[in-house]
Amino acid sequence: MDDHCNRPSTEPFVNHSESCKPREPGLAFTVEHSGSRTSSPSSTDSGVSFLTVENLRKLQAQLQVPSLAMPRLKTLRYDSPQYPKVLHERGITFHDLGSPTSPSNYDSIKEAICATRAHDMGRDNAEEAWNVLVGSEAEVEVLGVIAYDILTYRKMRQPKQDLWAKLNAQWEGTFPLATLGEQAQYYIAAPDPDLAIGYNEDNLKGVLKARMFLHDQCTPLKSDKQLLFPVVTVEVKGAASDEHAQRQNMHNSAVMLRNLLTLREKAGMDASELSTKFDGIAHVITISFTKSEIVICCCWSSVTDDGLLEYNSKPVATMSRNEGSKAFHTMTGRILNAVDWATKTNQRWIREDLAALEPRVGTIQPLMPNGSIVGSEVTSQ
């Protein structure tokens, strides 16, 4: 197992968000293509529009544009050779372990994740679970070990618990990510992680208007609206390439960050506050299980010198599948620590921001799908 848990990051993260451009007010129906901080984090480039054909015609008449026809673009999956390109177009970047680029809280995350747990799955249980994994390329077996042997999946499916989890967690496509200043050439399939972990709606009462306002950016899963704001995703790949799990989790993390960013902004946080209280700080975790390795990544947003919003992922703990049951036992503790860190770090401020957004609903512009949904002509207005 890599010993990077005991090493400091090679260079502190340089936060470019001070150069972020101030937000500019716009029309209620103005929709931008750019993934910049000047556009709403809710900007998207594909998916299902809330607008009916009738409403599209009305909107066309109001804006006096020639066409609001929905484009017919190809939807790419994670195994497409074009997938890395579409991630790059949306400002999504993976930083290798040796990269000097890190979030400002990288060292503290490593310390939290690599800490020895007072209670874990135990050495004997870890060895039994490892024996199931050895030589297995069956994703269902691997996912079963993760959910039921390592994580407390059954507990995270009980009423009144703080957390809520869902296996085979296909997400809505209503609010995909914006491209960086260009019209999307391809749609990108909505996230579909093997496991998502977020917050239980049972413990987030009194904020119904805020939740309805945020819509799928609050409850993104298609089949389980009990789960609010996922902050951890797990991707499992058996015979498939390791890179496929990484690609999916890069997209997953970007959407999770964008959703949290939308909440912060709509709750009243302005660009200058976002640059110091959100950007450059890791907020979400992804975990990849492949035939060759297990990787835990922390993920954060940043803003370029040109004011463009980017999403970043970097490993904080890794393990080769050749290392054996002892290393696997250590790694299971790090996985549990990573889930604890992500869920506890975000829980309080999410609750506070939902409460702050509740009375603002009706006084701020509603979230709208991105211009590539309703036609590029909108951006020329």
Side-chain angles (χ1 to χ4, degrees):
M1 181 178 298
D2 197 343
D3 64 353
H4 54 266
C5 283
N6 299 317
R7 299 200 305 265
S9 56
T10 55
E11 182 177 318
F13 172 74
V14 178
N15 191 344
H16 298 292
S17 54
E18 291 182 359
S19 62
C20 159
K21 300 176 183 178
R23 286 178 173 81
E24 298 175 357
L27 297 173
F29 289 104
T30 297
V31 187
E32 301 180 18
H33 294 288
S34 172
S36 68
R37 175 49 55 77
T38 57
S39 63
S40 167
S42 63
S43 296
T44 62
D45 61 28
S46 61
V48 180
S49 173
F50 290 127
L51 302 178
T52 64
V53 173
E54 180 182 358
N55 285 337
L56 282 171
R57 293 195 184 102
K58 292 179 180 178
L59 181 55
Q60 178 183 349
Q62 291 173 9
L63 297 179
Q64 298 181 344
V65 295
S67 174
L68 290 172
M70 295 184 184
R72 302 296 182 185
L73 302 181
K74 181 179 179 180
T75 298
L76 296 185
R77 284 170 38 88
Y78 63 86
D79 53 358
S80 167
Q82 295 293 325
Y83 202 85
K85 178 182 179 181
V86 299
L87 291 179
H88 179 74
E89 289 173 347
R90 289 155 178 80
I92 304 173
T93 304
F94 185 87
H95 303 277
D96 292 328
L97 192 58
S99 168
T101 302
S102 302
S104 61
N105 55 342
Y106 187 69
D107 289 340
S108 64
I109 295 172
K110 286 197 301 183
E111 182 179 357
I113 289 177
C114 296
T116 301
R117 292 182 66 88
H119 303 285
D120 59 19
M121 69 183 299
R123 181 67 58 80
D124 291 341
N125 290 335
E127 185 170 0
E128 290 178 357
W130 177 252
N131 289 336
V132 173
L133 296 179
V134 171
S136 175
E137 292 187 351
E139 293 181 7
V140 65
E141 286 187 331
V142 177
L143 189 55
V145 168
I146 299 167
Y148 297 104
D149 292 327
I150 302 176
L151 300 174
T152 56
Y153 182 72
R154 292 185 182 90
K155 184 177 181 181
M156 290 188 287
R157 295 288 297 177
Q158 300 302 314
K160 308 303 181 183
Q161 295 294 319
D162 285 341
L163 304 183
W164 194 257
K166 183 70 172 69
L167 291 167
N168 302 314
Q170 187 175 8
W171 293 10
E172 303 280 5
T174 314
F175 292 102
L177 299 168
T179 53
L180 296 181
E182 296 182 0
Q183 173 71 28
Q185 300 301 308
Y186 295 98
Y187 290 162
I188 186 169
D192 188 13
D194 293 300
L195 176 64
I197 302 173
Y199 301 99
N200 188 344
E201 72 162 353
D202 287 350
N203 291 316
L204 289 169
K205 300 296 185 182
V207 289
L208 182 59
K209 289 191 294 183
R211 287 173 48 191
M212 293 180 66
F213 175 89
L214 295 167
H215 200 259
D216 293 338
Q217 294 198 50
C218 175
T219 53
L221 275 63
K222 280 188 173 182
S223 61
D224 195 338
K225 298 302 181 181
Q226 183 99 357
L227 194 156
L228 278 62
F229 291 110
V231 291
V232 178
T233 60
V234 178
E235 293 286 359
V236 177
K237 289 291 173 282
S241 169
D242 292 2
E243 185 182 3
H244 291 172
Q246 176 182 303
R247 291 176 183 180
Q248 286 183 282
N249 265 330
M250 288 168 66
H251 184 217
N252 297 344
S253 66
V255 175
M256 289 190 290
L257 287 165
R258 190 279 316 278
N259 293 351
L260 294 176
L261 199 53
T262 300
L263 172 60
R264 299 249 72 175
E265 183 186 55
K266 298 306 179 183
M269 186 172 286
D270 61 23
S272 62
E273 286 184 289
L274 287 171
S275 70
T276 58
K277 296 182 179 180
F278 194 91
D279 297 325
I281 304 169
H283 294 278
V284 304
I285 291 288
T286 65
I287 304 169
S288 300
F289 274 71
T290 69
K291 61 184 178 182
S292 63
E293 63 182 355
I294 304 171
V295 180
I296 304 172
C297 287
C298 65
C299 314
W300 71 100
S301 63
S302 58
V303 179
T304 70
D305 292 336
D306 296 327
L308 298 178
L309 187 61
E310 296 184 326
Y311 305 98
N312 309 270
S313 298
K314 184 174 184 176
V316 286
T318 64
M319 174 199 162
S320 167
R321 290 280 293 270
N322 296 323
E323 293 186 57
S325 62
K326 183 177 180 180
F328 178 68
H329 177 235
T330 300
M331 193 63 172
T332 60
R334 292 176 179 176
I335 291 170
L336 290 166
N337 286 341
V339 172
D340 285 349
W341 176 85
T343 54
K344 292 176 180 178
T345 297
N346 294 295
Q347 186 173 20
R348 185 176 70 177
W349 75 257
I350 287 176
R351 188 187 302 272
E352 291 174 349
D353 275 18
L354 284 170
L357 173 58
E358 185 75 4
R360 288 169 57 85
V361 174
T363 68
I364 55 178
Q365 296 178 8
L367 301 181
M368 293 288 290
N370 184 259
S372 62
I373 301 285
V374 295
S376 60
E377 294 86 359
V378 174
T379 59
S380 66
Q381 298 301 302

